[in-house]
Amino acid sequence: MAGMTPELEDLFTFLRFPSISTDSKHAGDVRACAEWLVEKLTGMGLETTLHPTERHPVVVARNEHKPGRKTVLIYGHYDVQPVDPLHLWTTPPFEPEIRDGKIWARGATDNKGQMLSHILGVEKTLKEKGELPVNLTFLFEGEEEIGSPNLAPFLEANRELLKCDVIAISDTGMVAPGVPTLGYGLRGIACCEVTLRGPARDLHSGLFGGAVANPATAIAHLIASLHDEEGKVLVEGFYDDVRPLEDWEREMWAKVPGVSDEDFVKVTGSLNLFGEAGYSSAERTWARPTAEVNGIGGGYQGEGSKTVLPAEAFAKFSFRLVPDQDPADIMKKVQAHFDKHCPPGVSLLYEGGHDGKPYHADPNGPYGLAARRALKAAFDAEPVMIREGGSIPIVQAFRDILGADTLLLGLALADAQIHSPDENFPVENFESGIRLNQALLEELAK
Ligand code: BES
Ligand code: ZN
């Protein structure tokens, strides 16, 4: 294509792999994507290995590790979210295109664009200087979007290979275009699914409605029992371990551009804001826990009406957690809540899903300061410091298993539409990501 730099060519190739981790039909595509990475990294002179897991492979690439240098691990994920609803995409999700200065494709921001900018930053430094200022380990997984089920065991089994002083990730948010953003916290997550069963089979709602419980009505009751009218979670003990927000954080966040309540209304396209009383939208999403329904099902979904009383109904839930909540403890409390609030006449089947602990680090430590200098150099602007509403479950596991803290150098804009149709990544962010990687390794080496 005309006007395409070699860097963009690489990104387009990377984006064309439909590496959807949750869908087993795409397992071959996920693997092909990993193999392309291996080829790219090997071509740059890094010692690269592909490690199969029970599902999708892990890719590790290293330069020569020399004594006396800092060791930096850069993590990213090459898997992507599903693309549905497909008809809402302006152009096909795996046929990347540049429009209005942005790259449009599934994974453009989350996480292929951000991740590749680090790879290309390293490639550039190697070309320019023949050598990196640090010992570098790239660690790329293909299971982040399904909760990284095989990565913690991989860390346990490869502590020596992955030993490092500090970890860097670009897989989080940037508050506004051109505003460099250091993340120092992530929410944790715990997922589950509940199925309510009533009659042995779908019934005629005229013949039997009124005589037996309707599981779809029952699931609505169960879902409604989770919150009060103001959005506070009613699960007993849910807030027991929530660390209160510090005054300095609230003051600092109030000055961060791009995250005012008005900005949240605009970027979400919502009528109004809604959430726990006494907190701004940034505070609600970065530092307060939530209960969300991710999906509801049961009964007739087709055209027109069908007078049926469904045999079962289900709902899928995710709980976002903050320090010092523990996912296992929360899921016990949630399960007890469901048992207590299950309406009569239906049986309840609970299935636990994936989870991850929340993360919180000091942004003023030596590595935090180095990251802030690098952000300033790459963007020529003063960085802001935030926590994140999203989750990257492996980050706390990095600390627990490898003993290293993580710098979150986000390049994802609020309107990047990650996990949604028309995901996009500004070419400008891709290019600044490359500069950021170069500056970061330099600063971390000091
Ligand atoms: N990159 C996101 C997380 C993210 C995005 C954090 C923007 C902060 C700002 C990541 O790929 C993601 O979506 N994670 C999942 C994790 C889950 C599937 C275990 C999430 O947060 O839902
Ligand atoms: Zn994601």
Side-chain angles (χ1 to χ4, degrees):
M1 216 183 284
M4 289 278 285
T5 60
E7 289 79 12
L8 281 168
E9 297 275 8
D10 272 344
L11 180 54
F12 273 40
T13 305
F14 194 20
L15 288 169
R16 285 193 189 104
F17 292 97
S19 50
I20 304 170
S21 49
T22 194
D23 188 345
S24 50
K25 284 197 298 296
H26 284 287
D29 298 315
V30 179
R31 182 164 182 110
C33 188
E35 282 165 357
W36 178 80
L37 278 172
V38 170
E39 198 186 300
K40 173 78 201 168
L41 294 158
T42 307
M44 287 162 46
L46 302 178
E47 194 183 321
T48 309
T49 39
L50 183 98
H51 303 261
T53 73
E54 269 172 39
R55 249 172 120 177
H56 304 306
V58 172
V59 175
V60 177
R62 306 186 349 148
N63 64 346
E64 193 194 336
H65 285 201
K66 296 177 182 164
R69 292 200 302 200
K70 287 267 160 45
T71 301
V72 180
L73 186 146
I74 297 179
Y75 161 91
H77 65 93
Y78 65 89
D79 64 322
V80 298
Q81 285 275 329
V83 296
D84 60 285
L86 190 60
H87 70 278
L88 293 181
W89 287 79
T90 306
T91 48
F94 297 110
E95 295 173 27
E97 207 180 280
I98 298 179
R99 296 190 303 274
D100 310 324
K102 296 173 176 184
I103 303 140
W104 301 80
R106 169 57 85 233
T109 283
D110 185 10
N111 174 231
K112 288 173 174 173
Q114 299 188 72
M115 174 182 145
L116 188 68
S117 68
H118 281 280
I119 296 177
L120 298 179
V122 165
E123 182 177 47
K124 195 153 180 242
T125 304
L126 285 172
K127 270 190 195 148
E128 288 168 358
K129 308 221 161 115
E131 159 104 292
L132 297 176
V134 298
N135 300 328
L136 176 77
T137 304
F138 275 133
L139 171 67
F140 300 132
E141 71 157 321
E143 299 186 335
E144 196 273 347
E145 300 291 5
I146 52 171
S148 304
N150 292 298
L151 193 56
F154 183 81
L155 302 183
E156 302 267 12
N158 293 280
R159 283 172 201 267
E160 263 319 296
L161 180 76
L162 303 173
K163 202 168 154 194
C164 58
D165 297 299
V166 65
I167 295 164
I169 303 180
S170 289
D171 190 25
T172 51
M174 176 176 196
V175 294
V179 181
T181 305
L182 176 68
Y184 60 93
L186 291 160
R187 285 199 289 189
I189 190 167
C191 299
C192 68
E193 186 168 342
V194 169
T195 306
L196 298 184
R197 295 210 172 115
R201 68 198 74 84
D202 283 10
L203 301 173
H204 189 296
S205 66
L207 270 60
F208 298 103
V212 297
N214 183 323
T217 308
I219 202 89
H221 278 289
L222 196 64
I223 290 170
S225 74
L226 277 175
H227 297 96
D228 71 9
E229 307 77 58
E230 286 189 315
K232 197 160 179 167
V233 179
L234 296 176
V235 173
E236 208 179 309
F238 189 73
Y239 294 93
D240 283 359
D241 299 316
V242 171
R243 210 188 292 173
L245 259 158
E246 307 255 2
D247 288 341
W248 68 266
E249 275 187 304
R250 300 188 89 161
E251 277 164 36
M252 179 171 77
W253 291 351
K255 294 187 210 114
V256 172
V259 298
S260 70
D261 285 353
E262 297 73 50
D263 290 312
F264 270 78
V265 172
K266 229 189 283 161
V267 81
T268 59
S270 299
L271 210 54
N272 255 315
L273 296 172
F274 175 78
E276 206 185 344
Y279 297 95
S280 70
S281 298
E283 290 165 354
R284 284 170 178 168
T285 54
W286 298 347
R288 299 297 295 171
T290 59
E292 296 295 343
V293 183
N294 302 128
I296 314 178
Y300 182 61
Q301 314 275 321
E303 200 182 328
S305 68
K306 181 188 182 203
T307 48
V308 67
L309 194 164
E312 59 177 53
F314 71 88
K316 292 172 186 271
F317 301 93
S318 59
F319 296 81
R320 294 286 168 170
L321 311 178
V322 300
D324 300 298
Q325 289 176 299
D326 172 57
D329 173 64
I330 291 295
M331 289 329 277
K332 250 191 268 155
K333 290 170 173 163
V334 165
Q335 213 177 339
H337 177 95
F338 286 147
D339 286 337
K340 187 168 158 199
H341 292 267
C342 180
V346 292
S347 65
L348 186 148
L349 189 84
Y350 171 93
E351 215 182 318
H354 61 71
D355 63 21
K357 292 181 188 164
Y359 177 76
H360 186 272
D362 176 11
N364 297 311
Y367 294 121
L369 293 173
R372 284 153 61 182
R373 287 195 303 271
L375 283 163
K376 190 171 175 181
F379 289 90
D380 196 21
E382 209 52 57
V384 298
M385 295 184 285
I386 66 165
R387 292 204 239 161
E388 287 286 359
S391 307
I392 308 177
I394 204 62
V395 172
Q396 180 59 36
F398 281 146
R399 181 188 272 160
D400 292 341
I401 299 167
L402 302 180
D405 274 357
T406 297
L407 305 163
L408 300 162
L409 305 153
L411 301 171
L413 291 175
D415 64 357
Q417 300 185 183
I418 64 174
H419 296 203
S420 303
D422 279 349
E423 180 173 349
N424 62 84
F425 191 45
V427 174
E428 189 186 320
N429 285 29
F430 181 52
E431 287 165 353
S432 29
I434 295 173
R435 285 200 305 276
L436 174 61
N437 170 273
Q438 297 193 280
L440 179 71
L441 297 189
E442 232 171 77
E443 290 296 341
L444 290 175
K446 283 179 186 165

